[in-house]
């Protein structure tokens, strides 16, 4: 149980284009989803928190107009990187949290490797 | 401010050589402490949640314990497939559900 998927697993795009990453909870309903970014040899950096049906809450320093997050249903959240630049190249990981008995536990997706050329 | 410190940064073990990883934390009102395993190029895999001091949980060769200031992840008779980065994270009462991660301990188990 508690499986989270991400799509795509890797993507290469040209500078100036937009890329959408999907995060799905496959066997539970996720009231809250989180988006992280991870640089090589570093720990996870939280970008934003999204609750189903609400606007996402972004961490300090994260551009909300550049990283658009939509949590349209209890099983799907999307992250769109708009007007991507090479410095946006990174490993993006989502996590999901249920409203059930294991309320505080976050389950992570496999991650998406974004390369901007 | 919540702080999580993991030690050591890296650990190299011979197969069968048991060891422990440390996670020291400072939080205002602990809601939970979490251990994850992360393999290169993959997302973290959930291992354990500990909620209160004195609690212990086990899974195969791994055992997690919790005190009021730190948590230990004991690896008993490790195998090469236990090689990974182990992440510790805490959730505090005033963090709005956001986890505070440590930097991780990279474990390499050689045959």
């Amino acid at each position: 149980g508690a499986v989270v998927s991400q799509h795509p697993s890797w993507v290469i795009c040209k500078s100036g284009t937009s890329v959408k990453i999907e995060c799905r909870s496959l066997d539970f309903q996720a009231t809250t989803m989180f988006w992280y970014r991870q640089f090589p040899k570093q720990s996870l950096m939280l970008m934003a928190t999204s609750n189903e049906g609400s606007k996402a809450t972004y961490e300090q320093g994260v551009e909300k107009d550049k990283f658009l997050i939509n949590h349209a249903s209890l099983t799907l959240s999307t992250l769109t990187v708009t007007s991507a630049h090479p410095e946006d190249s990174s490993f993006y990981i989502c996590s999901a949290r249920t409203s059930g008995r294991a309320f505080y536990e976050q389950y992570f997706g496999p991650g998406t490797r974004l390369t901007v050329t | 401010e919540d702080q999580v410190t993991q030690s050591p940064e890296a650990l190299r073990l011979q197969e069968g050589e048991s060891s422990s990883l440390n996670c020291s934390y400072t939080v205002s009102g602990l809601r939970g402490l979490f251990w994850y395993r992360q393999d290169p190029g993959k997302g973290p895999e959930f291992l354990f949640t500990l909620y209160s001091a004195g609690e212990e949980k086990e899974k195969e060769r791994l055992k997690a314990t919790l005190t009021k200031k730190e948590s230990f992840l004991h690896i008993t008779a490790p195998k090469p497939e236990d090689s990974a980065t182990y992440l510790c994270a805490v959730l505090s009462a005033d963090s709005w559900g956001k986890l505070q991660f440590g930097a991780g301990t990279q474990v390499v188990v050689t045959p």
Side-chain angles (χ1 to χ4, degrees), chain B residues 2 11 15 17 30-31 36-39 41 43 46 48 52 59-60 62 66-67 75-77 80 82 87 94 99 107:
Chain B
D2 300 342
L11 189 60
E15 184 172 3
E17 178 188 1
L30 181 71
R31 294 286 178 135
Y36 291 89
R37 168 197 170 121
Q38 186 175 25
D39 293 304
F46 173 80
F48 303 111
S52 57
K59 179 181 179 181
E60 297 180 353
L62 301 177
L66 180 66
T67 72
I75 309 178
T76 302
D82 295 323
L87 297 169
D94 57 359
L99 295 178
V107 175

Side-chain angles (χ1 to χ4, degrees), chain B residues 15-35:
Chain B
E15 184 172 3
E17 178 188 1
S18 301
S19 188
S20 295
L21 314 182
N22 178 266
C23 173
S24 298
Y25 64 91
T26 305
V27 297
S28 53
L30 181 71
R31 294 286 178 135
L33 185 141
F34 308 85
W35 282 98

Side-chain angles (χ1 to χ4, degrees), chain A residues 13-66:
Chain A
C13 71
K14 292 189 175 182
S15 186
T17 62
S18 296
V19 174
K20 180 183 285 188
I21 301 170
E22 291 187 350
C23 176
R24 294 182 184 272
S25 56
L26 299 185
D27 53 1
F28 67 100
Q29 292 187 328
T31 53
T32 304
M33 287 185 169
F34 303 85
W35 286 94
Y36 295 83
R37 187 172 179 177
Q38 188 174 36
F39 294 101
K41 304 289 186 183
Q42 294 187 24
S43 193
L44 287 77
M45 182 186 77
L46 180 66
M47 299 174 64
T49 302
S50 73
N51 292 293
E52 186 264 337
S54 303
K55 288 185 178 180
T57 302
Y58 292 82
E59 294 300 296
Q60 192 171 5
V62 177
E63 299 175 60
K64 61 180 181 181
D65 294 331
K66 180 169 190 59

Side-chain angles (χ1 to χ4, degrees), chain B residues 33-87:
Chain B
L33 185 141
F34 308 85
W35 282 98
Y36 291 89
R37 168 197 170 121
Q38 186 175 25
D39 293 304
K42 296 187 178 181
E45 174 190 346
F46 173 80
L47 294 175
F48 303 111
T49 306
L50 300 168
Y51 291 106
S52 57
E55 192 174 0
E56 299 183 351
K57 288 193 177 174
E58 287 188 69
K59 179 181 179 181
E60 297 180 353
R61 294 177 293 282
L62 301 177
K63 179 180 178 179
T65 62
L66 180 66
T67 72
K68 288 186 177 181
K69 294 184 178 181
E70 58 191 350
S71 177
F72 291 94
L73 183 66
H74 308 277
I75 309 178
T76 302
K79 298 181 177 182
E81 52 262 42
D82 295 323
S83 298
T85 295
Y86 291 86
L87 297 169

